[in-house]
Amino acid sequence: MGGLDATGPPPGAEVPNGAPRHVAITMDGNGRWARERSLPRLAGHRAGTENIRVVLEALERHGIPYVTIYAFSTENWGRPEAEVEGLIQLLGEALEREVRALHERNVRILHLGSRSRLPAHLAEAIEAGLELTKRNDGLTLCVGFDYGGRREIVDAVRELMAQGATPDEVTEDAIRGRMYLPEVPEPDLIIRTGGDQRLSNFLLWQAAYSELYFTPTLWPDFGQEGVDEAIDAYRRRPRRFGKAPDAD
Ligand code: IPE
Ligand code: IPE
Ligand code: MG
């Protein structure tokens, strides 16, 4: 049976108590969090950035080895210039503040997306963070910044074509192997905060069999309790990967 290979090991493998192996999060609702407090949107993004550490620690306590956070989409470039600049600056500050601490906690940082459109100093700071933490074997944290699922698939197909692939060579395995982070297993659980129930171009290829969990909680308010609820909900869900349910 080769089917399960494509979607990672059966749920629960290698992680305690049937917890997901890879949790991916769309951190949405910063703007509304700020508006509720009559603050500028950027204050919401700041609170949201500070919340990442809280949620990561909660996920670590569950023994989850892979975490992906969606911080900036390819579509987010279309926001007002001041907001885009603010988000880029916040990423720079977060890297400066957190990378060493993450390294000390044995976290390996990976970047998901493109670095070519980022300011050079930020691309270099990301590169330095990846380099510093590349031998760590604790939690793997994938940071989605300038990430788009459609762009990732287009990039993979372009690479295949550039390598002269024939139609027969355009296979699921060939495309999978050309995703940005082919060594990272597909997400078992995708959490989206902020109440909207959509993917917004997140991990389109990898989400084929992910469990989706939506919560109205705005990202800066999503803490330990929110993580526990999401993981509990995941544990209760039977995953079938298209197969018939187990005979009873
Ligand atoms: C998520 O919060 C952060 C990014 C998309 C960068 P939003 O800024 O989308 O917050 P809402 O959805 O407007 O509340
Ligand atoms: C998704 O949120 C992207 C990130 C959280 C980085 P958006 O706020 O950009 O998504 P839409 O516009 O509501 O679909
Ligand atoms: Mg939003």
Side-chain angles (χ1 to χ4, degrees), residues 26-28 32 70-73 76 79 144 192 196 198-200:
T26 296
M27 309 183 291
D28 195 27
R32 280 161 285 170
Y70 198 13
F72 191 91
S73 73
N76 289 150
R79 294 190 179 199
R192 181 173 181 141
D196 289 314
R198 54 177 170 255
L199 289 175
S200 301

Side-chain angles (χ1 to χ4, degrees), residues 6-7 22 24 26 68 70 73-75 112 147-154 172 175-176 179-180 186-187 190 192 198-210 212:
T7 45
H22 180 181
T26 296
T68 296
Y70 198 13
S73 73
T74 48
E75 288 70 32
L112 174 71
Y147 173 78
R150 287 181 174 170
R151 171 79 56 83
E152 184 179 31
I153 295 169
V154 168
E172 289 192 16
I175 293 176
R176 183 178 304 113
M179 293 283 112
Y180 294 145
E186 293 174 2
I190 298 180
R192 181 173 181 141
R198 54 177 170 255
L199 289 175
S200 301
N201 208 8
F202 192 34
L203 299 173
L204 296 185
W205 175 275
Q206 298 87 340
Y209 273 99
S210 304
L212 308 181

Side-chain angles (χ1 to χ4, degrees), residues 1-204:
M1 298 290 284
L4 280 183
D5 295 342
T7 45
E14 298 174 36
V15 267
N17 305 321
R21 191 155 75 120
H22 180 181
V23 175
I25 310 179
T26 296
M27 309 183 291
D28 195 27
N30 295 345
R32 280 161 285 170
W33 184 92
R35 197 173 54 213
E36 280 178 1
R37 288 159 181 78
S38 306
L39 294 169
R41 289 179 63 82
L42 224 43
H45 293 316
R46 190 173 289 281
T49 307
E50 282 160 12
N51 192 45
I52 294 171
R53 186 188 329 171
V54 176
V55 170
L56 260 192
E57 285 175 9
L59 290 165
E60 266 181 321
R61 271 181 232 120
H62 283 278
I64 288 156
Y66 293 92
V67 175
T68 296
I69 51 175
Y70 198 13
F72 191 91
S73 73
T74 48
E75 288 70 32
N76 289 150
W77 291 107
R79 294 190 179 199
E81 206 179 307
E83 182 169 349
V84 170
E85 277 172 13
L87 284 163
I88 286 176
Q89 192 179 330
L90 276 174
L91 174 68
E93 286 172 19
L95 284 169
E96 209 169 291
R97 198 177 57 230
E98 304 288 349
V99 164
R100 189 140 289 281
L102 289 169
H103 180 51
E104 275 157 19
R105 283 187 5 238
N106 199 22
V107 172
R108 175 173 64 137
I109 305 170
L110 300 176
H111 176 233
L112 174 71
S114 161
R115 295 202 272 289
S116 61
R117 294 198 284 183
L118 299 179
H121 68 91
L122 191 58
E124 281 157 23
I126 294 173
E127 207 59 60
L130 307 187
E131 186 59 31
L132 178 71
T133 63
K134 71 179 182 193
R135 286 192 190 79
N136 293 345
D137 58 6
L139 184 140
T140 296
L141 173 65
C142 313
V143 181
F145 202 98
D146 197 6
Y147 173 78
R150 287 181 174 170
R151 171 79 56 83
E152 184 179 31
I153 295 169
V154 168
D155 283 350
V157 173
R158 279 190 182 159
E159 192 182 321
L160 257 177
M161 291 180 76
Q163 291 166 343
T166 62
D168 281 353
E169 287 165 348
V170 182
T171 61
E172 289 192 16
D173 277 342
I175 293 176
R176 183 178 304 113
R178 287 165 181 79
M179 293 283 112
Y180 294 145
L181 300 173
E183 74 275 28
V184 173
E186 293 174 2
D188 301 295
L189 173 65
I190 298 180
I191 297 172
R192 181 173 181 141
T193 61
D196 289 314
Q197 304 196 356
R198 54 177 170 255
L199 289 175
S200 301
N201 208 8
F202 192 34
L203 299 173
L204 296 185

